[in-house]
Every structure is written in structure tokens, then in C-alpha cells.
């Protein structure tokens, strides 16, 4: 009997310890940020560089009404319990409004609510818009050891619902913060508008699609503004660089060391993307004309849909002539 009581008590103690351990583990944040043991706070300068030039992206490049440009940046530092947007998942109402119209109010409310309910957000940051396809904008952000992930969105203007951004980039590596990180950015479709081109009219996607990356071959449609079938991958349309700011003595500003130079000049180092000429289908053959008793000629024509650029394939002949027998000779 005493042995049975001892076994029962031992099992009860082990079970209690197991429940306690499991309960503690379930309260930990999920994801890579759970292992961040770096100092509590880190400040970064974040520099967004637009690389959307007519040289790199010649097809349907917007020159006016409005010209190519970037919206303001809206970002957040957070834990893995929060997600601003994710590839292959549905965009929130806030991301939809931002990607389609550049309106940030709903997205800001979503971020604030997430921070209040599950304490998954440490801070929000923003940077000014860029009035051209190339140029730079910057701001500062603060990351926390329990909130070391960075996410942001920048709208491509003009576009149906296209944007660039980062989803949950971890700035913490174990026991230290990353000193500097640069990421090439490529266009994404929010899945809420069905336009193919930069200037497409508003046409809602029903039912809503998931967020997808736009590539040189997807969507696989010649009307797509990013459709470059001869390329393997698109050149980066933008880049973001985050540089850790060094601490200074209390009361003094944070030092900015080794930051990339800011400029709104067009970037000359971008490689040229060849754009082949595109022409329409042939028209119907015209009337056969010629003198009586002799062979006549008839002509058909086509027109240029897209002028070539950057040493792309030149346009072919736009008219063609062939022999015929005149119906109404003169």
C-alpha cells in the first residue's frame, strides 16, 4: 500500500511539472524572434531606394497623369504574433486600401488593434513619398528584443493594387542585432484589383485573390506591364537598407554612421532591359487594283502597338503587297 501511494505521489508531481512546463512554453512567442537575446532596444535608419526607371522597365512606363512614383512608406516592428501581409495569403482591408488608393487609415487601425489586443506591435514608422520612380526616402525605426521583426508596404503609383514591401524580416541574430541589411524588392499584387497595366481602371477582383509576386512571366499575359518573356527574372524595382545606429551618451543624438548617400537623381547603374517591338495583326487585304488585262496588286497593313527600346527587336514592315487579278480594272 505504501509503495502504491509513493508511485501515485511521484506521478502526480511529474504530471504537475509537465503541465507547468507546457503552460510556460505555450506562453512564449512563436517564431524566430523567441530566441532573440540581444540588448532590449535597437534603433535603425531605414532607407528606401526606388529603382523604377524607364531604362530598367521600359514597357508602358508611366510618364504623365501621373508619372511613375512611390507612395509614402508605412511600416511596423512586431513579434511573430502579428502579420501586416503575407505572400499567398489574403490581404487585409487595410492593405487593400493602401495598395489600391494609398489610404493608410484602416491599416493604421489594424496595427493599433493588434498592439492593444495581443501586444504584438512595438512601434509604427513612416517615410515620405517619392515623386519619381527613382530616388530615396528614409526614416528611423526602433526594434525590441521581443519585437525584432520589421514589415512595411510602399505602393507603386500608378497601379491597380501593386506594392513592394517586406514581410517579417528579423533584425535579431541570437544575442546580437544585425549591423546592416539590404533587400532587393520586387512588385506584388494585392489580389484585390484585376488590372493588368499601370493605368488600368479600377475593377475589383471578385472573389478576392491572395497576394502574389509579379514576375516577368506572371501574370502570363502580353498586356501585363511587367511582362518581359525574354528575361529570367525582373530587375529589382526598389531596394531597402537598414543600418543600426550607434548609441551615444544620454542627451546626445544617435550617431548616423556609414549610411548610404541620399539622392533623388536617376540611378545610372541599372542595366537596360530590352523591349521588343510589338505590332498588331494584319488588316484584311485591300481591293485589287491595276489596269485591265494585266496583273494587279493589293495591300494589307498593320500598326505598331509598342515601340522597341534598349536594343530590343526592331519593328517589322508595316505593309505587305501581293499580286492579284483586278476585279474592276481601269
Amino acid at each position: 500500500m505504501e509503495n502504491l501511494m509513493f508511485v501515485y505521489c511521484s506521478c502526480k508531481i511529474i504530471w504537475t511539472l509537465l503541465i507547468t512546463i507546457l503552460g510556460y512554453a505555450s506562453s512564449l512567442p512563436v517564431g524566430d524572434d523567441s530566441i532573440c537575446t540581444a540588448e532590449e532596444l535597437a534603433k535603425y535608419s531605414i532607407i528606401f531606394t526606388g529603382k523604377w526607371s524607364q531604362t530598367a522597365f521600359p514597357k508602358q512606363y508611366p510618364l504623365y497623369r501621373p508619372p511613375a512614383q512611390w507612395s509614402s512608406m508605412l511600416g511596423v516592428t512586431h513579434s511573430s504574433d502579428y502579420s501586416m501581409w503575407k505572400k499567398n495569403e489574403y490581404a487585409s482591408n487595410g492593405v487593400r486600401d493602401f495598395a489600391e488608393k494609398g489610404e493608410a487609415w484602416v491599416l493604421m487601425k489594424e496595427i493599433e488593434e493588434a498592439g492593444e489586443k495581443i501586444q504584438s506591435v512595438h512601434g509604427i514608422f513612416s517615410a515620405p513619398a517619392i515623386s519619381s520612380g527613382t530616388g530615396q526616402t528614409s526614416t528611423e525605426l526602433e526594434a525590441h528584443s521581443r519585437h525584432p521583426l520589421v514589415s512595411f508596404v510602399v505602393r507603386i503609383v500608378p497601379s491597380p493594387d501593386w506594392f513592394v514591401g517586406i514581410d517579417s524580416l528579423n533584425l535579431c541574430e541570437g544575442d546580437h542585432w544585425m549591423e546592416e541589411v539590404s533587400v532587393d524588392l520586387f512588385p506584388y499584387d494585392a489580389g484585390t484589383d484585376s488590372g493588368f497595366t499601370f493605368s488600368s481602371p479600377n475593377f475589383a477582383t471578385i472573389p478576392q485573390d491572395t497576394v502574389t509576386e509579379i514576375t516577368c512571366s506572371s501574370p502570363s499575359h502580353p498586356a501585363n506591364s511587367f511582362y518581359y518573356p525574354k528575361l529570367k527574372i525582373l530587375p529589382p524595382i526598389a531596394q531597402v537598407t537598414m543600418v543600426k545606429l550607434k548609441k551615444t551618451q544620454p542627451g546626445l543624438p544617435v550617431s548616423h554612421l556609414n549610411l548610404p548617400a541620399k539622392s533623388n537623381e536617376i540611378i545610372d547603374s541599372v542595366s537596360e532591359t530590352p523591349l521588343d517591338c510589338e505590332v498588331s495583326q494584319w488588316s484584311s487585304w485591300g481591293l485589287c487594283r491595276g489596269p485591265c488585262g494585266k496583273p494587279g496588286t493589293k495591300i494589307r497593313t498593320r500598326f505598331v502597338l509598342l515601340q522597341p527600346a534598349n536594343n530590343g527587336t526592331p519593328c517589322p514592315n508595316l505593309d505587305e503587297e501581293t499580286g492579284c487579278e483586278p476585279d474592276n480594272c481601269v
Side-chain angles (χ1 to χ4, degrees):
M1 187 67 178
E2 289 179 359
N3 289 337
L4 288 175
M5 286 298 295
F6 175 76
V7 171
Y8 170 75
C9 291
S10 299
C11 290
K12 187 174 181 180
I13 292 169
I14 293 170
W15 178 251
T16 302
L17 287 171
L18 183 60
I19 291 296
T20 302
I21 292 170
L22 289 174
Y24 172 73
S26 65
S27 68
L28 292 174
V30 178
D32 292 341
D33 52 315
S34 62
I35 59 173
C36 180
T37 57
E39 58 183 337
E40 192 175 57
L41 296 174
K43 285 191 175 182
Y44 284 83
S45 176
I46 178 168
I47 304 99
F48 177 88
T49 304
K51 295 187 174 185
W52 185 19
S53 68
Q54 192 171 11
T55 300
F57 299 92
K59 187 174 183 180
Q60 302 167 4
Y61 188 81
L63 295 173
Y64 55 90
R65 298 183 180 177
Q69 56 192 279
W70 299 96
S71 77
S72 58
M73 172 193 290
L74 181 59
V76 61
T77 53
H78 59 95
S79 70
S80 58
D81 296 319
Y82 171 78
S83 174
M84 176 181 273
W85 66 275
K86 279 192 180 298
K87 183 179 177 180
N88 299 326
E89 294 188 7
Y90 293 104
S92 67
N93 291 335
V95 171
R96 178 200 63 202
D97 285 358
F98 192 88
E100 288 187 10
K101 298 173 283 187
E103 296 177 358
W105 188 84
V106 176
L107 183 53
M108 289 281 289
K109 289 290 290 181
E110 291 174 353
I111 295 170
E112 290 172 4
E113 289 173 2
E116 291 171 0
K117 288 180 181 178
I118 55 179
Q119 298 182 343
S120 57
V121 172
H122 178 72
I124 301 174
F125 58 90
S126 64
I130 303 174
S131 59
S132 61
T134 59
Q136 288 187 334
T137 186
S138 66
T139 188
E140 292 181 5
L141 63 87
E142 184 178 80
H144 190 278
S145 57
R146 293 195 302 274
H147 305 85
L149 307 182
V150 175
S151 296
F152 72 81
V153 287
V154 179
R155 181 177 181 244
I156 297 173
V157 183
S159 74
D161 60 341
W162 302 342
F163 69 95
V164 297
I166 278 180
D167 166 37
S168 303
L169 174 67
N170 196 341
L171 295 176
C172 182
E173 291 185 318
D175 62 353
H176 67 279
W177 294 99
M178 299 175 69
E179 291 297 323
E180 181 175 338
V181 57
S182 291
V183 180
D184 288 333
L185 303 177
F186 299 89
Y188 281 89
D189 186 323
T192 61
D193 192 292
S194 297
F196 269 128
T197 66
F198 297 120
S199 57
S200 292
N202 183 33
F203 187 71
T205 302
I206 302 175
Q208 180 177 335
D209 204 350
T210 58
V211 175
T212 55
E213 184 176 352
I214 300 172
T215 70
C216 56
S217 57
S218 178
S220 182
H221 194 291
N224 175 17
S225 292
F226 287 109
Y227 186 70
Y228 295 94
K230 286 191 174 181
L231 297 182
K232 292 183 178 179
I233 59 171
L234 286 175
I237 196 170
Q239 184 184 63
V240 66
T241 300
M242 283 165 275
V243 181
K244 187 174 180 292
L245 302 178
K246 293 190 175 182
K247 285 187 174 181
T248 59
Q249 296 177 358
L252 295 178
V254 178
S255 61
H256 296 61
L257 298 179
N258 302 320
L259 298 186
K262 287 184 63 179
S263 171
N264 285 319
E265 298 298 321
I266 292 176
I267 299 163
D268 295 324
S269 60
V270 176
S271 60
E272 293 186 345
T273 299
L275 183 64
D276 297 338
C277 177
E278 292 182 13
V279 295
S280 68
Q281 298 292 323
W282 287 109
S283 68
S284 301
W285 287 103
L287 295 175
C288 183
R289 299 184 180 277
C292 295
K294 294 184 179 180
T297 58
K298 58 183 178 180
I299 296 174
R300 63 177 181 176
T301 60
R302 55 188 173 183
F303 57 91
V304 175
L305 295 173
L306 193 65
Q307 291 288 352
N310 304 331
N311 297 315
T313 303
C315 294
N317 290 333
L318 299 179
D319 54 76
E320 188 175 60
E321 185 178 292
T322 189
C324 59
E325 292 293 331
D327 292 328
N328 298 311
C329 58
V330 291

